[in-house]
Amino acid sequence: MKKINLILILLVGFVMFNCAIAGPGYGITPGGLFSSAAMNKDISTATDVGGKTGEACAFSILSLIAFGDGSIKSAQEDGGIKVVKAVDYRYTNVMSFFSSVCTIARGD
């Protein structure tokens, strides 16, 4: 019984700690069980953000293993974009077991 209580306390602490440091430099309101937010990083002065879209993601499992290329350059290459006009980010977190940050580049 003591082991179960200890594991439960550690799990709750782990989830609470990871929710406090969510996202790519934004003050995202974290959800204890699930978070999903989209943010705009670079706002284009033009109303036209372009006709092409590219996406690049980085992932984390259990906040222990992180992998992927979520750079703007990678998103630009994915969409075949020559001129980036706007950049958005999408953040997803499921109880700190799985999280992702995706960069979405828009342009021509």
Side-chain angles (χ1 to χ4, degrees):
M1 187 66 172
K2 288 184 180 184
K3 284 185 180 182
I4 293 174
N5 287 340
L6 178 62
I7 290 171
L8 183 61
I9 289 170
L10 290 174
L11 181 63
V12 168
F14 182 71
V15 169
M16 297 298 282
F17 173 75
N18 280 314
C19 289
I21 56 173
Y26 292 95
I28 299 170
T29 303
L33 298 176
F34 178 77
S35 297
S36 180
M39 294 80 53
N40 182 270
K41 174 70 173 171
D42 300 321
I43 300 172
S44 175
T45 56
T47 55
D48 177 28
V49 295
K52 295 181 180 179
T53 301
E55 187 170 325
C57 298
F59 305 95
S60 173
I61 299 173
L62 295 175
S63 295
L64 298 173
I65 301 169
F67 56 94
D69 182 1
S71 67
I72 294 172
K73 179 144 180 74
S74 181
Q76 180 182 4
E77 290 171 356
D78 179 64
I81 301 169
K82 293 183 181 181
V83 178
V84 176
K85 294 184 176 180
V87 178
D88 297 326
Y89 294 95
R90 184 176 57 245
Y91 173 75
T92 305
N93 182 13
V94 181
M95 289 183 56
S96 298
F97 292 114
F98 172 81
S99 63
S100 68
V101 178
C102 294
T103 303
I104 304 158
R106 303 177 196 284
D108 294 316

